Amino acid sequence: SGAIAGATAVLFFGAPPLEWSLLTMVLCAWAAGGIAVSAAVPAAFYGLATLFLAPLAVGWAASDMPLKWPVAAMILFFLGYLILFARDGALLVANALRVGFENEDLARQLRQRESEARLARERAEQANVAKSRFLAAASHDLRQPLHSLVLLLDHALRTTTDAKTGETLRQAARSADSLQELFDSLLDLSRLDAGSLVPELKPVALSAVLERIANDYRPRAESKGLAFRCATTTAWVRSDPVMLDRMLRKGDA
């Protein structure tokens, strides 16, 4: 296209000054208009504009027109300006395309992360339901044997005549009572997740709480050759006994 249009400068070389001037303006305007069509591909536009205007500049330089050298120089300057303008326009288009692709990629990543977050939330909800079902089953299946163990220990304690055995059975009974309370607190996790667990405040003797904890930890300490002592107290507090016991045992590893 550029070669065909630029050939007019050769075909109409020697035309009268008015027609030659009109031809120059048409070719310059035509070359400038090519930016809108092919500037997005700089190499194509460079060839188009050069074949449009270079023959025209040569024609002016070879003619007998007045001011032929300044006009030829201005045409070449105009050609260089169009090339620079097309280059900058191509960079803008490339940047716009890159930003568009980056935005599309970010949107795709965002949709993917939203999908992953939704799947993770669904898995968490399923795990919570499974945990609630497990706690419900444990409440039914484990309460009975634990309650039976407490009754058996109480019966053995009342029927034994050996003092040492009786002391051991009393410690075992206290440990079983503590285990039952801890088991009840574990089952309260489902109520805690549901937001329905409310502290049951009542007077609590700290000596009883400390004695239960001491009965559980003393055998473990003695098995490692350590002495275990628990201070006695007559203090009372107003608290939830199960939650208080749970907090005091929280540091157990």
Side-chain angles (χ1 to χ4, degrees):
S1 298
I4 293 173
T8 57
V10 178
L11 296 176
F12 296 98
F13 182 76
L18 179 60
E19 286 77 359
W20 187 249
S21 299
L22 292 176
L23 177 63
T24 300
M25 289 188 293
V26 169
L27 290 178
C28 289
W30 196 353
I35 293 179
V37 178
S38 57
V41 184
F45 179 77
Y46 298 160
L48 176 71
T50 300
L51 293 175
F52 256 77
L53 300 179
L56 183 63
V58 173
W60 270 94
S63 68
D64 296 330
M65 301 285 184
L67 300 176
K68 60 179 182 177
W69 293 111
V71 174
M74 291 181 63
I75 293 174
L76 293 177
F77 174 79
F78 183 64
L79 172 61
Y81 175 79
L82 290 180
I83 290 175
L84 292 177
F85 187 82
R87 184 200 63 181
D88 294 340
L91 291 176
L92 290 176
V93 172
N95 290 333
L97 291 174
R98 184 175 63 254
V99 170
F101 288 136
E102 290 175 353
N103 290 338
E104 184 179 355
D105 186 59
L106 290 175
R108 180 185 58 80
Q109 294 180 5
L110 180 60
R111 289 193 298 268
Q112 182 178 358
R113 292 180 180 178
E114 288 178 350
S115 177
E116 293 174 353
R118 184 174 62 256
L119 292 176
R121 183 170 59 252
E122 292 176 355
R123 287 194 296 267
E125 293 174 354
Q126 293 174 359
N128 188 45
V129 171
K131 182 188 69 176
S132 300
R133 291 177 179 174
F134 166 76
L135 292 176
S139 176
H140 180 269
D141 296 338
L142 298 181
R143 281 181 186 273
Q144 293 301 324
L146 185 58
H147 182 65
S148 299
L149 176 61
V150 173
L151 294 178
L152 290 174
L153 288 173
D154 181 67
H155 175 72
L157 181 61
R158 285 186 287 105
T159 57
T160 185
T161 57
D162 184 70
K164 186 175 181 180
T165 303
E167 179 61 24
T168 302
L169 289 174
R170 275 190 292 273
Q171 291 183 1
R174 286 192 292 266
S175 297
D177 291 338
S178 177
L179 177 62
Q180 188 171 14
E181 291 181 1
L182 290 176
F183 182 71
D184 290 339
S185 67
L186 175 63
L187 297 178
D188 286 338
L189 287 177
S190 59
R191 296 170 55 196
L192 181 63
D193 291 339
S196 60
L197 182 61
V198 180
E200 298 180 2
L201 301 179
K202 58 183 179 182
V204 179
L206 290 181
S207 59
V209 176
L210 296 177
E211 183 179 0
R212 287 196 301 271
I213 296 176
N215 290 332
D216 292 340
Y217 284 88
R218 183 176 289 108
R220 297 171 56 181
E222 293 175 351
S223 67
K224 298 180 179 181
L226 301 175
F228 186 93
R229 293 190 300 272
C230 181
T232 58
T233 179
T234 58
W236 287 68
V237 296
R238 181 175 176 80
S239 178
D240 185 304
V242 176
M243 293 185 177
L244 178 60
D245 188 275
R246 188 188 310 166
M247 286 188 294
L248 293 176
R249 295 173 184 268
K250 187 175 182 181
D252 180 24

